Amino acid sequence: MGKSKQLKEKMKAGKTRHLTKKELSRSLADLFTQHQGEKLELSRIYRELELKTHPAKMLCNDILEDMLSDDYITEKPKFTYSLKHASQEMEGIFHRKANGKNTFTSDEGGEPFLVLERNSLRAMDGDRVRVCMAARRRNHVREAQVVEIIKHADKNFVGTLQIHKNIAFLLTEDRTLANDILIPRDKLHGGKHGDKVVAKITEWPQKAKNPVGKVVAVLGKDGDNNAEMNAILAEYGLPYEYPKHVEEAANRISDIIPEEEIRRREDMRDVMTFTIDPRDAKDFDDAISIRQISANLWEVGVHIADVTHYVKEDSVIDKEAVKRATSIYLVDRTIPMLPERLCNKICSLRPDEDKLTYSVIFVMNEKAEIKDWHLAHTVIRSNRRFIYEEVQQVLEAHKEASPEDYSHPGDHMPPEKPDYEPAENFAGDLILLNRLAKELRKKRFEHGAVDFDRSETRFEIDETGKPLSVYFKVAKDANKLVEEFMLLANRTVAEHIGKVPKSKPGKTFVYRIHDLPDPNKLLNLSDFVFKFGHKLKPNGSKAEISRNINRLLHEVKDKPEQNVVETVTLRAMMKARYSTVNVGHYGLAFDYYTHFTSPIRRYPDMMVHRLLTRYADGGRSVMKSKYEELCDHSSEMELLAAQAERSSIKYKQVEYMQGKLGEEFDGTISGVTEYGLYVEINENKCEGMVPLRDLDDDYYEFDEKNYCLLGRRHHHRYSLGDQVRIKVARANLDRKQLDFALVKN
């Protein structure tokens, strides 16, 4: 099947050993055409074309390489091929670059195509376009030409207004746009010279150098903290204000729980219950209860705010929550998914208040073995609000904390003294929960979970938002205690719906999935860590690969290369996302996993609550396509929120380092690019770049595979993970960019 007539004849004559390249090329083209949309493994290609001799297979491999370089086929995964493009016209997304080397990504997948500015039809970044493929020039990259803009992206541009006598411009740091945006005087929306504003492009005439736009929002004066934080949100198309009509809808919701609602629920108000959260948290969406029910059995309840009791599907509040999909955490503020009245008051599990919850209640022994469990709508009353530092102090005082916790003093800011019953009075319950959590954690790692415990950068800021100092948030036992019980609840409810007999159809559900690491990236990681004297076997079973990665992460702990090895290891991992198609969670080593425990700040958790309630009431399975769309949207919004958070951290790092121009620091090379070296300062984790133009002692070439810059004449090498001494040269807040200069020894 798929063989050309000539090839068949040669095969019959036993002459496959003497196939010509032209004949085999034609046969391969026929094979791919007949199997459009299929992925053909190399072994299958040999089989289909009856290539049994070594010379015939080698000739086939050579032709496949030619087809790959001509963009006729694509190879993904390794040694698996498919026809790349069936026609010369394709639809997809246009990506604008400031250097004019724009790209087009086809809906069919594969590598992006180059679109030169003259062939762009003035398409904007993110536009859906139709392109025509240009004829391939040998030894040149494949090019495309935009022939139609199907739909413009709804893109905002953030920048500073420059208003002159007869003209106004928006100076933007957006790297997808090489030209400033011309703003007519009647489209300034009240903006003044020097204001930080949000604008949209309204037109870009073919013969004009600059696009034309209008101001849609004025954020404030350039440099003002509120204006800058809102500008970061606007850059990513994220909301920085809450709609008044949604807040008004929330204000109409009563905070009084009717008696008949309490009677419908499992009443757990007399069980010892508490919340454990960061010091600045206001939205307490999870609580833990504990009581002993026999000599060796305890009941542990994981209680989650019953948000969907108050937020009805397709209501005004729900539609806004869908749009946002997640709360956003910048350095100095939270942009909530739900109106403040709900997230900080009605739904928040505040102490000494009756609250409606959705609970997973476990019966377990001292080895954290689950003897029984059930899911229930409940009503609780929290006895105490803890902050992590208080719980950690109790555990350390009773010698119950892990050894590494004692070796990292000062990782957290000192705890405040709230006007609550002393934490010591709860020591027995906290110690028991900590022991159970450690048992759960131990089992998780025995099953192949990957041990990523990275510190997070935090800032102490004043009332104006100015950073005063940098500190690092390290996950200690108090954090891990809460984490393990939340993981247990999430896994349990996912198994409850997902684990069905093979003879029964499964019900549509929302899973949190995490696929296996990319094999090629694992190979690169193995090569990279070898340079530091570490070994990583990149193949084997899922559990073996996890154990190998954990062994590596343990080896590099507290060594100079720790941060860079952890960073490269993370890059080898796939990103976790939401889906109705369950493939398990590799990083946690769970076959079934979901997000159930944070409905105040994540929309997927609200979806899970509704589905669990529906199925518990005997409801039929919901439409899979609708929920898959919501999963994709939630994953995209989660990614944008994380990018905005990192951008706010970068801004504060640059702002903090502005006061340290000219000072010297020890650092670690954290990134190597063709433009220069990224260096992370060891003492505060602030990252900046040493531009290639400043490395003037040699002509340096970029070795991407080995993560290094190599001097052509003197052969000096700058590699990822190298220790260097730098001086702070420049701090550009608009670009959120630090420039360092190397200090010569």
Side-chain angles (χ1 to χ4, degrees), residues 60-262:
C60 178
N61 293 352
D62 288 344
I63 297 167
L64 288 171
E65 286 299 318
D66 290 343
M67 287 177 151
L68 282 169
S69 66
D70 286 338
D71 289 318
Y72 186 79
I73 58 172
T74 184
E75 181 184 21
K76 196 173 183 182
K78 194 77 172 165
F79 305 124
T80 303
Y81 306 91
S82 56
L83 190 64
K84 194 163 188 181
H85 303 294
S87 69
Q88 289 295 101
E89 281 202 357
M90 287 175 283
E91 286 188 18
I93 302 301
F94 179 85
H95 305 282
R96 176 164 285 282
K97 304 288 176 66
N99 61 7
K101 294 182 179 180
N102 313 306
T103 59
F104 165 80
T105 303
S106 170
D107 292 342
E108 299 171 26
E111 294 299 312
F113 295 92
L114 175 67
V115 183
L116 295 176
E117 185 58 38
R118 64 176 178 269
N119 297 325
S120 71
L121 209 63
R122 291 290 167 87
M124 298 307 301
D125 191 55
D127 284 357
R128 169 161 283 279
V129 300
R130 180 177 289 107
V131 304
C132 179
M133 302 307 301
R136 178 67 182 264
R137 291 181 292 165
R138 186 153 294 279
N139 299 323
H140 284 72
V141 296
R142 193 78 187 272
E143 291 185 32
Q145 178 178 359
V146 178
V147 294
E148 181 188 354
I149 298 171
I150 299 168
K151 184 181 179 183
H152 282 294
D154 185 24
K155 183 172 175 63
N156 290 331
F157 292 89
V158 180
T160 306
L161 273 181
Q162 295 289 306
I163 303 176
H164 305 288
K165 188 174 182 181
N166 298 313
I167 199 166
F169 283 98
L170 180 74
L171 306 184
T172 174
E173 296 299 334
D174 192 304
R175 293 178 184 179
T176 68
L177 200 62
N179 308 83
D180 299 326
I181 301 171
L182 175 64
I183 309 287
R185 295 293 294 248
D186 61 344
K187 301 293 184 184
L188 289 172
H189 198 67
K192 297 180 174 58
H193 185 80
D195 279 351
K196 205 90 173 183
V197 302
V198 183
K200 286 186 181 296
I201 290 176
T202 54
E203 61 174 324
W204 194 347
Q206 278 297 311
K207 293 184 179 179
K209 179 183 176 184
N210 300 86
V212 180
K214 65 178 181 179
V215 174
V216 295
V218 179
L219 302 175
K221 281 293 174 191
D222 187 31
D224 172 77
N225 185 65
N226 281 330
E228 296 296 344
M229 292 299 106
N230 287 340
I232 287 171
L233 295 166
E235 276 177 39
Y236 293 99
L238 296 169
Y240 47 88
E241 294 177 321
Y242 216 94
K244 284 188 169 52
H245 71 284
V246 183
E247 288 184 333
E248 287 165 1
N251 291 336
R252 292 193 290 271
I253 297 175
S254 173
D255 59 356
I256 298 169
I257 304 173
E259 278 301 317
E260 59 267 28
E261 182 60 40
I262 291 176

Side-chain angles (χ1 to χ4, degrees), residues 364-411:
M364 57 177 67
N365 62 18
E366 70 277 3
K367 292 182 180 178
E369 294 168 336
I370 311 300
K371 299 301 181 181
D372 195 13
W373 76 276
H374 70 281
L375 188 64
H377 286 94
T378 54
V379 57
I380 67 164
R381 190 177 183 87
S382 173
N383 299 87
R384 175 67 148 79
R385 185 233 158 163
F386 286 106
I387 59 175
Y388 286 120
E389 292 88 345
E390 290 177 300
V391 175
Q392 189 64 32
Q393 280 190 345
V394 169
L395 298 178
E396 291 183 10
H398 288 265
K399 306 300 180 190
E400 289 286 336
S402 299
E404 58 266 26
D405 286 3
Y406 297 100
S407 65
H408 288 285
D411 288 327

Side-chain angles (χ1 to χ4, degrees), residues 417-471:
K417 299 285 185 183
D419 295 328
Y420 294 144
E421 185 179 347
E424 182 59 35
N425 294 358
F426 298 83
D429 290 330
L430 293 172
I431 288 168
L432 177 58
L433 285 168
N434 186 51
R435 289 176 180 174
L436 293 172
K438 285 184 174 179
E439 290 289 339
L440 291 169
R441 188 172 171 82
K442 178 184 168 189
K443 289 175 193 171
R444 198 158 53 82
F445 288 118
E446 284 173 352
H447 281 87
V450 181
D451 188 11
F452 271 113
D453 266 340
R454 305 199 75 197
S455 62
E456 298 176 21
T457 304
R458 293 288 184 266
F459 295 88
E460 182 185 1
I461 55 178
D462 65 16
E463 64 280 359
T464 68
K466 183 179 179 182
L468 304 174
S469 65
V470 183
Y471 66 98

Side-chain angles (χ1 to χ4, degrees), residues 471-706:
Y471 66 98
F472 306 105
K473 178 186 168 189
V474 176
K476 293 190 175 182
D477 276 0
N479 306 77
K480 294 171 185 176
L481 183 162
V482 176
E483 177 188 36
E484 287 305 325
F485 285 107
M486 298 307 120
L487 291 175
L488 178 63
N490 287 332
R491 187 191 76 194
T492 301
V493 297
E495 287 178 346
H496 175 58
I497 301 298
K499 256 186 174 179
V500 293
K502 288 185 178 179
S503 57
K504 279 192 171 186
K507 291 182 176 176
T508 297
F509 199 59
V510 173
Y511 297 97
R512 179 70 168 175
I513 64 170
H514 184 223
D515 219 336
L516 291 166
D518 184 299
N520 290 331
K521 288 183 178 179
L522 280 179
L523 279 171
N524 291 340
L525 174 63
S526 178
D527 291 342
F528 173 67
V529 300
F530 186 75
K531 298 176 177 64
F532 295 96
H534 303 293
K535 289 183 179 178
L536 173 71
K537 188 180 176 186
N539 45 37
S541 67
K542 279 201 300 188
E544 285 170 339
I545 292 172
S546 298
R547 281 195 292 272
N548 294 340
I549 291 172
N550 283 337
R551 194 179 299 117
L552 170 68
L553 296 173
H554 180 74
E555 281 178 12
V556 301
K557 211 163 189 67
D558 298 324
K559 292 186 177 175
E561 67 269 21
Q562 177 182 349
N563 194 46
V564 73
V565 169
E566 286 178 345
T567 299
V568 177
T569 305
L570 267 176
R571 288 176 191 161
M573 297 289 166
M574 295 295 189
K575 282 189 167 52
R577 58 190 175 88
Y578 299 104
S579 179
T580 58
V581 180
N582 181 46
V583 298
H585 196 294
Y586 173 78
L588 295 172
F590 290 159
D591 292 329
Y592 300 88
Y593 188 64
T594 189
H595 273 171
F596 165 83
T597 53
S598 293
I600 287 178
R601 63 185 180 89
R602 295 186 304 224
Y603 194 76
D605 302 58
M606 289 176 62
M607 290 194 280
V608 165
H609 280 217
R610 286 179 180 140
L611 291 174
L612 287 168
T613 302
R614 177 189 178 94
Y615 297 152
D617 292 341
R620 295 173 64 182
S621 185
V622 295
M623 190 186 297
K624 193 166 189 170
S625 58
K626 172 189 171 184
Y627 277 81
E628 189 61 29
E629 279 183 25
L630 287 167
C631 285
D632 288 343
H633 171 69
S634 297
S635 299
E636 288 168 12
M637 294 306 292
E638 176 189 39
L639 182 60
L640 286 175
Q643 289 171 342
E645 180 183 355
R646 286 194 294 271
S647 194
S648 77
I649 290 170
K650 187 68 181 176
Y651 184 90
K652 290 301 173 189
Q653 286 178 330
V654 176
E655 190 177 8
Y656 177 67
M657 295 302 292
Q658 271 187 326
K660 303 185 183 299
L661 292 176
E663 293 186 27
E664 294 184 9
F665 297 90
D666 290 323
T668 303
I669 294 178
S670 54
V672 182
T673 75
E674 61 265 49
Y675 304 111
L677 306 170
Y678 283 101
V679 177
E680 186 178 80
I681 294 174
N682 294 342
E683 71 178 60
N684 58 31
K685 307 297 182 191
C686 292
E687 187 181 61
M689 175 177 258
V690 179
L692 187 65
R693 64 178 180 271
D694 291 349
L695 298 175
D696 54 7
D697 60 333
D698 204 340
Y699 180 84
Y700 285 90
E701 294 177 331
F702 175 47
D703 183 345
E704 186 174 13
K705 185 178 179 183
N706 293 302

